[in-house]
């Protein structure tokens, strides 16, 4: 059965409910169509079964009634097609654009940057100043995988974690998603978010976690031999827990960045 069970994973973000409603609606509609169609099919099988003394008759309609018959047979198709078009126009597009086209305009968002690479995620927190410190490719090093320039003023309160994301509950997090090498995809099932990370692009995304707990980050884009190991944890905590964690981590951050030798361009 696995950790996610038979049904959908726990819904832990503000938009998870909208995504789930769409999934349930489509499944319910498909089930309804399957049952109705199956029942109709069985009815026809029984009604027109082969019996002694009964023979198939092909009725030859005139041209006009033939065309009417053909049109009538399209009624179920038209019904299903209108349902699907309505689903796309009135449900899927509005929900998708609410999630993907812009972030909610909140006063005090948590700002972070997630950088994918073969094979892990670096999570870079802007800290209370809300400003992400600059990254420099000549500073990329095993001890500084994103090349954060610790000398810059904006970096003073920045925290960088490997494969660990912490978010305060009920607060909007604005995330820039990047990749250092190939295409990855940040997938957090409980948040119902899956977003490709493209090398050379900064992709904005947002999450408002609504449940505390520990969830899984996986890479949803086959990105190399250790793709399946490209995992991390998300901890959704209360604001107090988050602040305590942040202060603790901040104390362990190096004051300066040593120059590295890697020359990844991102
Ligand atoms: Cu990956």
């Amino acid at each position: 059965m696995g950790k996610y069970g038979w049904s959908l994973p726990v819904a832990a973000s503000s938009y998870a409910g909208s995504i789930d409603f769409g999934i349930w609606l489509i499944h319910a509609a498909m089930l309804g169509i399957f049952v109705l169609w199956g029942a109709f099919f069985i009815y026809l099988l029984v009604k027109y079964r082969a019996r002694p003394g009964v023979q198939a008759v092909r009725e030859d309609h005139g041209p006009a009634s033939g065309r009417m018959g053909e049109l009538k047979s399209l009624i179920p198709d038209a019904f299903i097609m209108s349902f699907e078009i309505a689903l796309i126009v009135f449900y899927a597009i509005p929900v998708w654009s609410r999630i993907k086209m812009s972030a909610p305009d909140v006063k005090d968002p948590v700002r972070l940057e997630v950088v994918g690479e073969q094979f892990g995620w670096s999570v870079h927190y802007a800290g209370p100043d809300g400003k992400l410190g600059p990254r420099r490719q000549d500073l990329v090093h095993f001890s500084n995988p994103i090349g954060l320039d610790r000398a810059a003023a904006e970096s003073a309160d920045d925290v960088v974690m490997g494969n660990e994301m912490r978010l305060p509950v009920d607060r909007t997090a604005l995330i820039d998603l990047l990749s250092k090498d190939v295409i990855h995809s940040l997938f957090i099932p409980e948040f119902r978010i899956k977003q490709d990370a493209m090398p050379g692009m900064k992709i904005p995304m947002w999450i408002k976690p609504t449940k505390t707990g520990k969830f899984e980050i996986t890479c949803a884009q086959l990105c190399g031999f250790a793709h399946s190991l490209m995992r991390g944890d998300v901890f959704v905590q209360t604001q107090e827990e988050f602040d305590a964690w942040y202060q603790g981590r901040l104390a362990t951050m190096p004051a300066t960045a040593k120059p590295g030798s890697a020359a990844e361009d991102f």
Side-chain angles (χ1 to χ4, degrees), residues 15-223:
Y15 43 68
S18 308
I19 301 280
D20 290 359
F21 179 75
I23 293 172
W24 287 119
L25 188 63
I26 290 167
H27 279 78
M30 290 303 124
L31 183 68
I33 292 166
F34 176 77
V35 168
L36 283 176
W37 181 246
F40 183 57
F41 183 63
I42 290 165
Y43 163 77
L44 293 181
L45 280 179
V46 173
K47 184 169 184 203
Y48 297 106
R49 69 189 183 280
R51 276 162 296 169
V54 178
Q55 213 190 341
V57 180
R58 196 192 180 287
E59 288 184 46
D60 195 10
H61 297 288
S65 66
R67 202 166 298 135
M68 278 313 289
E70 274 170 32
L71 283 177
K72 263 190 215 157
S73 77
L74 288 178
I75 290 173
D77 304 70
F79 182 75
I80 288 170
M81 208 160 141
S82 337
F83 172 74
E84 286 175 352
I85 291 172
L87 197 64
I88 292 170
V89 173
F90 298 110
Y91 183 76
I93 292 177
V95 167
W96 194 246
S97 42
R98 185 164 63 79
I99 300 171
K100 291 286 180 182
M101 302 308 279
S102 61
D105 190 16
V106 292
K107 205 168 76 241
D108 187 24
V110 184
R111 292 273 302 127
L112 57 148
E113 196 171 58
V114 177
V115 184
E117 71 180 287
Q118 290 171 319
F119 295 92
W121 305 98
S122 292
V123 185
H124 174 196
Y125 291 85
D129 70 352
K131 292 192 183 106
L132 291 156
R135 286 174 281 99
R136 279 181 25 208
Q137 67 180 48
D138 60 311
L139 294 175
V140 171
H141 184 267
F142 284 117
S143 66
N144 186 4
I146 63 167
L148 180 65
D149 183 358
R150 287 274 169 201
E154 301 95 313
S155 307
D157 62 348
D158 288 17
V159 164
V160 183
M161 301 297 297
N163 297 317
E164 182 180 330
M165 184 191 279
R166 303 233 171 199
L167 299 172
V169 71
D170 292 326
R171 241 181 101 190
T172 300
L174 302 183
I175 303 172
D176 287 335
L177 185 61
L178 301 98
S179 169
K180 277 167 76 174
D181 38 41
V182 299
I183 304 173
H184 300 280
S185 184
L186 184 78
F187 182 28
I188 306 170
E190 285 84 354
F191 293 160
R192 307 293 189 271
I193 191 96
K194 186 190 281 173
Q195 174 62 57
D196 277 11
M198 307 289 289
M201 285 178 77
K202 192 187 276 187
I203 298 172
M205 52 188 282
W206 67 277
I207 299 167
K208 187 177 178 188
T210 52
K211 277 195 173 68
T212 55
K214 180 185 169 191
F215 310 120
E216 188 180 33
I217 303 174
T218 69
C219 179
Q221 175 64 50
L222 184 57
C223 60

